[in-house]
Amino acid sequence: MKITLLSVAVICSSIIANSQVMDNTNTSIAPIEQLSLAQEWDKTFPKSDKVDHKKVTFINRYGITIAADMYTPKNAAGKLSAIAVSGPFGAVKEQSSGLYAQQLAERGFLAIAFDPSFTGESGGIPRRVASPDINTEDFSAAVDFLSVQENVDAEKIGILGICGWGGFSISAAANDPRIKATVASTMYDMCRVTSNGYYDANNSAESRNEMRKQMARQRTEDYRNGKYTRGGGVVDPLPDDAPEFVKRYYDYYKTPRGFHPRSGNSTDGWNVTSSFPFINFTLLERASEIESAVMVLHGDRAHSLYFGKDAFKKLKGDNKQLLIVNDADHTDLYDNLDKIPFDEIAAFYKSNLK
Protein backbone atom coordinates (compact mmCIF):
# COMPACT_ATOMS: atom_id res chain seq x y z
CA MET A 1 0.00 0.00 0.00
CA LYS A 2 1.36 3.42 -0.94
CA ILE A 3 1.53 5.81 2.00
CA THR A 4 1.42 9.52 1.13
CA LEU A 5 1.88 12.56 3.34
CA LEU A 6 -1.84 13.24 2.99
CA SER A 7 -2.79 9.76 4.15
CA VAL A 8 -0.43 10.07 7.12
CA ALA A 9 -2.07 13.36 8.03
CA VAL A 10 -5.53 11.78 7.81
CA ILE A 11 -4.43 8.86 10.01
CA CYS A 12 -2.91 11.23 12.57
CA SER A 13 -6.03 13.42 12.55
CA SER A 14 -8.16 10.34 13.14
CA ILE A 15 -6.01 9.27 16.08
CA ILE A 16 -6.21 12.76 17.60
CA ALA A 17 -9.97 12.94 17.06
CA ASN A 18 -10.49 9.55 18.66
CA SER A 19 -8.32 10.49 21.63
CA GLN A 20 -10.39 13.63 22.11
CA VAL A 21 -13.55 11.56 22.16
CA MET A 22 -12.06 9.26 24.77
CA ASP A 23 -10.79 12.11 26.99
CA ASN A 24 -12.67 15.34 26.53
CA THR A 25 -13.58 15.93 30.14
CA ASN A 26 -11.25 18.86 30.84
CA THR A 27 -9.76 21.34 28.40
CA SER A 28 -9.26 24.15 30.91
CA ILE A 29 -5.84 25.44 31.90
CA ALA A 30 -4.61 23.71 35.04
CA PRO A 31 -5.26 25.44 38.36
CA ILE A 32 -2.35 27.33 39.89
CA GLU A 33 -0.41 25.30 42.43
CA GLN A 34 -0.23 26.74 45.90
CA LEU A 35 3.36 27.88 46.11
CA SER A 36 5.24 29.11 49.15
CA LEU A 37 6.70 32.45 48.08
CA ALA A 38 9.15 34.45 50.18
CA GLN A 39 7.83 37.94 50.85
CA GLU A 40 11.03 39.49 52.17
CA TRP A 41 13.71 40.89 49.86
CA ASP A 42 16.08 37.90 49.64
CA LYS A 43 18.00 38.77 46.47
CA THR A 44 21.76 38.79 46.00
CA PHE A 45 21.57 42.41 44.81
CA PRO A 46 20.18 45.58 46.43
CA LYS A 47 16.64 46.72 45.78
CA SER A 48 16.29 49.67 43.42
CA ASP A 49 14.32 52.74 44.49
CA LYS A 50 13.46 53.39 40.83
CA VAL A 51 11.42 50.19 40.44
CA ASP A 52 8.30 48.61 41.92
CA HIS A 53 8.55 44.91 42.74
CA LYS A 54 6.01 42.15 43.36
CA LYS A 55 5.69 38.37 43.16
CA VAL A 56 3.59 36.84 40.37
CA THR A 57 2.77 33.33 39.17
CA PHE A 58 1.70 31.81 35.87
CA ILE A 59 1.17 28.35 34.35
CA ASN A 60 3.10 26.66 31.57
CA ARG A 61 1.72 24.29 28.95
CA TYR A 62 2.47 21.29 31.17
CA GLY A 63 0.40 22.64 34.05
CA ILE A 64 3.43 23.65 36.14
CA THR A 65 3.08 26.89 38.07
CA ILE A 66 5.99 29.25 37.57
CA ALA A 67 7.02 31.78 40.21
CA ALA A 68 8.44 35.11 39.11
CA ASP A 69 9.48 38.51 40.38
CA MET A 70 7.95 41.39 38.43
CA TYR A 71 9.86 44.66 38.16
CA THR A 72 8.03 47.75 36.88
CA PRO A 73 9.39 51.28 36.45
CA LYS A 74 7.99 53.57 39.15
CA ASN A 75 5.19 55.84 37.93
CA ALA A 76 5.05 54.01 34.60
CA ALA A 77 2.05 54.89 32.45
CA GLY A 78 0.46 53.23 29.45
CA LYS A 79 1.40 49.92 27.89
CA LEU A 80 5.05 48.95 28.29
CA SER A 81 7.43 46.75 26.37
CA ALA A 82 8.11 43.65 28.46
CA ILE A 83 11.03 41.25 28.92
CA ALA A 84 11.05 37.76 30.51
CA VAL A 85 14.40 36.76 32.01
CA SER A 86 15.75 33.45 33.31
CA GLY A 87 19.02 31.74 34.10
CA PRO A 88 21.79 30.91 34.68
CA PHE A 89 21.49 27.13 34.54
CA GLY A 90 21.16 25.98 38.15
CA ALA A 91 20.47 29.47 39.49
CA VAL A 92 17.30 31.09 40.83
CA LYS A 93 15.55 34.39 40.14
CA GLU A 94 17.04 35.96 43.25
CA GLN A 95 20.44 35.83 41.56
CA SER A 96 21.55 37.03 38.12
CA SER A 97 18.18 36.98 36.32
CA GLY A 98 16.61 39.23 38.94
CA LEU A 99 19.46 41.69 38.60
CA TYR A 100 18.97 41.80 34.82
CA ALA A 101 15.20 42.26 35.20
CA GLN A 102 15.59 45.08 37.70
CA GLN A 103 18.16 46.84 35.52
CA LEU A 104 15.85 46.59 32.51
CA ALA A 105 12.98 48.00 34.56
CA GLU A 106 15.17 50.96 35.50
CA ARG A 107 15.48 51.55 31.75
CA GLY A 108 11.75 51.61 31.14
CA PHE A 109 10.71 47.99 30.59
CA LEU A 110 8.33 45.83 32.56
CA ALA A 111 10.48 42.79 33.32
CA ILE A 112 9.96 39.48 35.06
CA ALA A 113 12.63 37.10 36.33
CA PHE A 114 11.30 33.58 36.74
CA ASP A 115 12.38 30.30 38.29
CA PRO A 116 12.21 27.54 35.66
CA SER A 117 10.01 24.50 36.20
CA PHE A 118 11.06 22.21 39.07
CA THR A 119 13.44 24.80 40.58
CA GLY A 120 13.46 27.59 43.14
CA GLU A 121 9.98 28.75 44.14
CA SER A 122 8.33 27.35 41.00
CA GLY A 123 6.25 24.20 41.06
CA GLY A 124 6.76 20.83 39.48
CA ILE A 125 7.66 17.39 40.77
CA PRO A 126 10.32 16.01 40.98
CA ARG A 127 12.54 18.84 42.08
CA ARG A 128 15.79 19.88 40.42
CA VAL A 129 15.26 18.34 37.01
CA ALA A 130 15.90 20.13 33.71
CA SER A 131 14.35 19.52 30.31
CA PRO A 132 15.25 21.07 26.93
CA ASP A 133 11.57 20.93 25.98
CA ILE A 134 9.95 22.11 29.22
CA ASN A 135 12.54 24.81 29.85
CA THR A 136 12.07 26.20 26.35
CA GLU A 137 8.32 26.13 27.05
CA ASP A 138 8.86 28.10 30.26
CA PHE A 139 9.85 31.13 28.16
CA SER A 140 6.69 30.83 26.05
CA ALA A 141 4.62 30.50 29.22
CA ALA A 142 6.16 33.77 30.40
CA VAL A 143 5.06 35.32 27.09
CA ASP A 144 1.53 33.95 27.69
CA PHE A 145 1.46 35.74 31.03
CA LEU A 146 2.94 39.01 29.80
CA SER A 147 0.65 39.12 26.76
CA VAL A 148 -2.48 39.51 28.89
CA GLN A 149 -1.21 42.09 31.39
CA GLU A 150 -3.09 45.38 31.11
CA ASN A 151 0.10 47.43 31.27
CA VAL A 152 1.97 45.40 28.61
CA ASP A 153 1.92 45.85 24.83
CA ALA A 154 1.50 42.26 23.64
CA GLU A 155 3.28 43.12 20.38
CA LYS A 156 6.39 44.27 22.24
CA ILE A 157 7.62 41.28 24.23
CA GLY A 158 11.18 40.01 24.37
CA ILE A 159 13.11 37.42 26.35
CA LEU A 160 16.59 37.20 27.85
CA GLY A 161 18.39 34.01 28.80
CA ILE A 162 21.59 33.82 30.81
CA CYS A 163 24.12 30.96 30.59
CA GLY A 164 22.21 27.72 29.87
CA TRP A 165 19.01 29.70 29.51
CA GLY A 166 20.68 31.60 26.70
CA GLY A 167 20.43 28.44 24.62
CA PHE A 168 16.84 27.90 25.73
CA SER A 169 16.00 31.49 24.78
CA ILE A 170 17.23 30.94 21.22
CA SER A 171 15.24 27.71 21.06
CA ALA A 172 12.14 29.59 22.28
CA ALA A 173 12.66 32.38 19.73
CA ALA A 174 12.80 29.79 16.94
CA ASN A 175 9.56 28.26 18.16
CA ASP A 176 7.44 31.23 19.25
CA PRO A 177 6.87 34.16 16.85
CA ARG A 178 5.32 36.24 19.64
CA ILE A 179 8.89 36.78 20.88
CA LYS A 180 10.02 39.88 19.02
CA ALA A 181 13.56 40.22 20.41
CA THR A 182 15.91 37.86 22.23
CA VAL A 183 19.17 38.35 24.13
CA ALA A 184 21.35 35.32 24.92
CA SER A 185 23.91 36.43 27.51
CA THR A 186 27.09 34.44 28.26
CA MET A 187 25.23 31.48 26.79
CA TYR A 188 25.72 27.72 26.94
CA ASP A 189 24.20 25.20 24.55
CA MET A 190 23.33 22.67 27.24
CA CYS A 191 22.61 19.90 24.75
CA ARG A 192 25.97 20.30 23.06
CA VAL A 193 28.01 20.48 26.24
CA THR A 194 26.17 17.49 27.73
CA SER A 195 26.46 15.24 24.69
CA ASN A 196 29.89 16.36 23.44
CA GLY A 197 31.70 17.65 26.51
CA TYR A 198 33.50 20.98 26.69
CA TYR A 199 35.01 22.04 23.39
CA ASP A 200 33.47 18.86 21.91
CA ALA A 201 36.31 16.83 23.44
CA ASN A 202 34.04 13.81 24.07
CA ASN A 203 32.05 13.97 20.85
CA SER A 204 31.86 10.25 20.14
CA ALA A 205 29.28 7.48 20.25
CA GLU A 206 31.47 5.64 22.75
CA SER A 207 31.49 8.56 25.20
CA ARG A 208 27.75 9.13 24.88
CA ASN A 209 26.95 5.46 25.28
CA GLU A 210 29.06 5.29 28.43
CA MET A 211 27.20 8.32 29.81
CA ARG A 212 23.86 6.70 28.95
CA LYS A 213 24.89 3.51 30.77
CA GLN A 214 25.90 5.45 33.87
CA MET A 215 22.64 7.37 34.00
CA ALA A 216 20.60 4.25 33.27
CA ARG A 217 22.22 2.57 36.25
CA GLN A 218 21.49 5.65 38.33
CA ARG A 219 17.83 5.57 37.27
CA THR A 220 17.51 2.01 38.52
CA GLU A 221 19.24 2.91 41.77
CA ASP A 222 17.04 5.98 42.31
CA TYR A 223 13.89 3.98 41.68
CA ARG A 224 15.04 1.27 44.07
CA ASN A 225 15.76 3.85 46.78
CA GLY A 226 12.64 5.88 46.14
CA LYS A 227 14.52 9.16 45.84
CA TYR A 228 16.68 11.06 43.35
CA THR A 229 20.41 11.37 43.86
CA ARG A 230 21.72 14.89 43.50
CA GLY A 231 24.85 15.55 41.49
CA GLY A 232 26.20 18.27 43.75
CA GLY A 233 26.40 21.98 43.00
CA VAL A 234 29.61 23.90 42.37
CA VAL A 235 32.46 21.94 43.92
CA ASP A 236 33.15 22.89 47.53
CA PRO A 237 35.79 22.96 48.92
CA LEU A 238 37.51 24.22 45.79
CA PRO A 239 40.46 22.01 44.74
CA ASP A 240 43.78 23.76 44.19
CA ASP A 241 43.94 22.44 40.64
CA ALA A 242 40.38 23.44 39.67
CA PRO A 243 40.08 24.94 36.18
CA GLU A 244 39.87 28.71 36.07
CA PHE A 245 36.20 28.72 35.02
CA VAL A 246 35.29 26.49 37.99
CA LYS A 247 37.01 29.02 40.27
CA ARG A 248 34.88 31.74 38.73
CA TYR A 249 31.73 29.69 39.37
CA TYR A 250 32.83 29.18 42.97
CA ASP A 251 33.42 32.93 43.38
CA TYR A 252 29.82 33.55 42.36
CA TYR A 253 27.76 30.68 43.74
CA LYS A 254 29.63 29.78 46.91
CA THR A 255 30.43 33.21 48.35
CA PRO A 256 28.20 36.04 49.62
CA ARG A 257 28.51 37.61 46.16
CA GLY A 258 25.96 35.22 44.66
CA PHE A 259 25.07 32.44 47.12
CA HIS A 260 21.38 31.67 47.50
CA PRO A 261 19.96 28.73 49.50
CA ARG A 262 17.41 27.81 46.78
CA SER A 263 20.04 27.71 44.04
CA GLY A 264 21.13 24.24 43.00
CA ASN A 265 24.55 25.53 42.02
CA SER A 266 24.96 27.06 45.48
CA THR A 267 23.83 23.86 47.23
CA ASP A 268 23.46 20.22 46.10
CA GLY A 269 22.87 20.62 42.37
CA TRP A 270 20.63 18.89 39.83
CA ASN A 271 19.38 15.32 40.00
CA VAL A 272 22.10 13.13 38.47
CA THR A 273 19.68 11.79 35.85
CA SER A 274 18.55 15.29 34.85
CA SER A 275 21.04 15.29 31.96
CA PHE A 276 19.47 12.28 30.23
CA PRO A 277 17.34 14.09 27.57
CA PHE A 278 20.10 16.55 26.70
CA ILE A 279 22.17 13.79 25.09
CA ASN A 280 19.72 13.23 22.23
CA PHE A 281 18.07 16.66 21.95
CA THR A 282 19.41 19.28 19.52
CA LEU A 283 18.60 22.64 21.06
CA LEU A 284 19.59 25.05 18.27
CA GLU A 285 18.49 22.97 15.27
CA ARG A 286 16.10 25.65 13.96
CA ALA A 287 18.06 28.75 14.98
CA SER A 288 18.57 29.72 11.32
CA GLU A 289 14.79 30.09 10.94
CA ILE A 290 14.44 32.85 13.56
CA GLU A 291 13.00 35.92 11.88
CA SER A 292 12.94 38.15 14.96
CA ALA A 293 15.89 40.07 16.37
CA VAL A 294 18.57 38.26 18.38
CA MET A 295 21.58 39.57 20.29
CA VAL A 296 24.27 37.12 21.37
CA LEU A 297 26.28 38.67 24.21
CA HIS A 298 29.53 37.21 25.52
CA GLY A 299 32.73 38.09 27.32
CA ASP A 300 35.98 37.82 25.39
CA ARG A 301 37.62 35.84 28.23
CA ALA A 302 34.72 33.45 28.81
CA HIS A 303 35.44 29.73 28.51
CA SER A 304 31.95 29.49 26.99
CA LEU A 305 32.56 32.02 24.21
CA TYR A 306 32.58 29.33 21.52
CA PHE A 307 28.93 28.54 22.28
CA GLY A 308 27.94 32.12 21.58
CA LYS A 309 30.02 32.45 18.43
CA ASP A 310 28.73 29.17 16.98
CA ALA A 311 25.13 30.04 17.84
CA PHE A 312 25.51 33.39 16.12
CA LYS A 313 26.79 31.68 12.96
CA LYS A 314 23.47 29.84 12.74
CA LEU A 315 21.41 33.05 12.76
CA LYS A 316 20.25 34.70 9.55
CA GLY A 317 19.22 38.26 8.74
CA ASP A 318 20.40 41.78 9.41
CA ASN A 319 18.56 41.98 12.74
CA LYS A 320 21.09 39.71 14.47
CA GLN A 321 23.94 41.06 16.59
CA LEU A 322 27.04 39.57 18.24
CA LEU A 323 28.32 41.76 21.08
CA ILE A 324 31.65 40.75 22.65
CA VAL A 325 32.49 42.47 25.94
CA ASN A 326 36.15 43.24 26.43
CA ASP A 327 37.97 41.85 29.46
CA ALA A 328 34.95 39.88 30.70
CA ASP A 329 34.76 36.24 31.72
CA HIS A 330 31.67 34.02 31.90
CA THR A 331 30.47 35.04 35.36
CA ASP A 332 31.31 38.73 34.92
CA LEU A 333 28.12 38.82 32.87
CA TYR A 334 26.16 37.40 35.81
CA ASP A 335 26.41 40.46 38.04
CA ASN A 336 29.27 42.82 37.21
CA LEU A 337 27.55 46.16 36.63
CA ASP A 338 30.75 47.63 35.25
CA LYS A 339 30.89 45.02 32.49
CA ILE A 340 27.32 44.02 31.62
CA PRO A 341 26.32 46.43 28.82
CA PHE A 342 22.80 47.14 30.06
CA ASP A 343 22.47 50.34 28.05
CA GLU A 344 23.32 48.47 24.84
CA ILE A 345 20.89 45.68 25.76
CA ALA A 346 18.13 48.23 26.41
CA ALA A 347 18.88 49.99 23.12
CA PHE A 348 18.65 46.66 21.29
CA TYR A 349 15.21 45.98 22.76
CA LYS A 350 13.96 49.51 22.14
CA SER A 351 14.98 49.37 18.48
CA ASN A 352 13.34 45.98 17.90
CA LEU A 353 10.26 46.13 20.14
CA LYS A 354 8.36 48.64 18.06
Side-chain angles (χ1 to χ4, degrees):
M1 182 177 69
K2 183 177 181 181
I3 302 294
T4 67
L5 288 176
L6 179 59
S7 63
V8 170
V10 170
I11 292 169
C12 291
S13 297
S14 177
I15 292 171
I16 293 169
N18 288 335
S19 67
Q20 289 172 340
V21 169
M22 289 184 288
D23 184 13
N24 63 357
T25 56
N26 186 3
T27 59
S28 62
I29 294 175
I32 293 180
E33 299 170 68
Q34 295 301 308
L35 304 180
S36 177
L37 303 178
Q39 297 305 311
E40 71 278 6
W41 184 264
D42 60 348
K43 323 301 182 193
T44 60
F45 51 90
K47 188 174 183 179
S48 171
D49 59 5
K50 302 175 183 178
V51 171
D52 291 324
H53 164 267
K54 68 176 181 179
K55 291 290 184 83
V56 298
T57 57
F58 53 91
I59 305 170
N60 74 9
R61 191 166 56 89
Y62 296 96
I64 299 168
T65 300
I66 304 298
D69 288 299
M70 178 183 286
Y71 299 87
T72 309
K74 282 188 180 296
N75 304 315
K79 289 185 176 293
L80 304 176
S81 298
I83 314 294
V85 188
S86 197
F89 194 78
V92 288
K93 64 187 182 304
E94 288 74 22
Q95 296 171 309
S96 179
S97 62
L99 173 65
Y100 270 73
Q102 182 171 262
Q103 287 287 322
L104 288 168
E106 286 188 352
R107 288 160 173 81
F109 301 91
L110 184 150
I112 61 171
F114 65 87
D115 285 330
S117 296
F118 313 111
T119 66
E121 292 186 309
S122 287
I125 298 293
R127 306 304 295 165
R128 300 275 182 81
V129 63
S131 162
D133 180 17
I134 296 175
N135 294 141
T136 294
E137 155 62 21
D138 287 339
F139 270 118
S140 286
V143 176
D144 292 340
F145 170 77
L146 291 172
S147 295
V148 300
Q149 302 308 302
E150 291 185 356
N151 56 345
V152 169
D153 186 333
E155 297 301 316
K156 298 180 179 180
I157 296 176
I159 62 174
L160 190 152
I162 307 162
C163 184
W165 259 260
F168 295 136
S169 71
I170 293 176
S171 177
N175 199 51
D176 192 337
R178 298 174 302 169
I179 297 168
K180 298 302 192 297
T182 300
V183 173
S185 178
T186 196
M187 68 160 284
Y188 265 53
D189 178 343
M190 293 307 304
C191 292
R192 180 179 177 183
V193 73
T194 302
S195 61
N196 297 354
Y198 281 106
Y199 305 104
D200 302 319
N202 297 320
N203 184 15
S204 69
E206 292 77 13
S207 294
R208 282 186 286 274
N209 280 329
E210 181 57 35
M211 184 164 40
R212 291 179 179 110
K213 291 173 185 176
Q214 291 176 6
M215 278 192 279
R217 288 192 292 268
Q218 187 65 57
R219 286 187 65 150
T220 302
E221 191 66 19
D222 286 351
Y223 197 82
R224 177 181 292 113
N225 295 332
K227 63 180 182 179
Y228 291 97
T229 301
R230 294 277 166 79
V234 173
V235 60
D236 188 15
L238 187 69
D240 292 337
D241 61 349
E244 187 63 27
F245 75 93
V246 175
K247 294 178 181 178
R248 301 285 74 77
Y249 281 137
Y250 183 94
D251 287 344
Y252 182 76
Y253 287 108
K254 292 293 189 175
T255 71
R257 169 188 168 192
F259 176 87
H260 197 279
R262 287 193 293 274
S263 164
N265 289 346
S266 291
T267 56
D268 58 355
W270 296 97
N271 296 343
V272 171
T273 57
S274 183
S275 297
F276 228 143
F278 291 88
I279 301 173
N280 290 349
F281 198 95
T282 306
L283 195 63
L284 305 183
E285 181 70 21
R286 305 298 181 200
S288 64
E289 299 177 10
I290 299 174
E291 296 178 337
S292 59
V294 179
M295 171 190 282
V296 177
L297 171 67
H298 237 110
D300 64 347
R301 295 193 293 108
H303 69 284
S304 53
L305 177 58
Y306 73 102
F307 290 123
K309 286 184 173 180
D310 288 354
F312 183 74
K313 291 175 184 176
K314 295 177 181 290
L315 303 174
K316 307 296 182 184
D318 58 7
N319 58 352
K320 311 302 189 290
Q321 180 180 353
L322 176 63
L323 179 57
I324 304 297
V325 180
N326 291 330
D327 194 32
D329 63 30
H330 182 83
T331 58
D332 279 333
L333 299 190
Y334 283 7
D335 66 339
N336 189 327
L337 296 180
D338 293 327
K339 294 187 177 181
I340 303 172
F342 282 116
D343 288 341
E344 288 89 340
I345 294 170
F348 168 80
Y349 281 126
K350 287 176 181 177
S351 65
N352 289 289
L353 298 179
K354 59 183 181 180

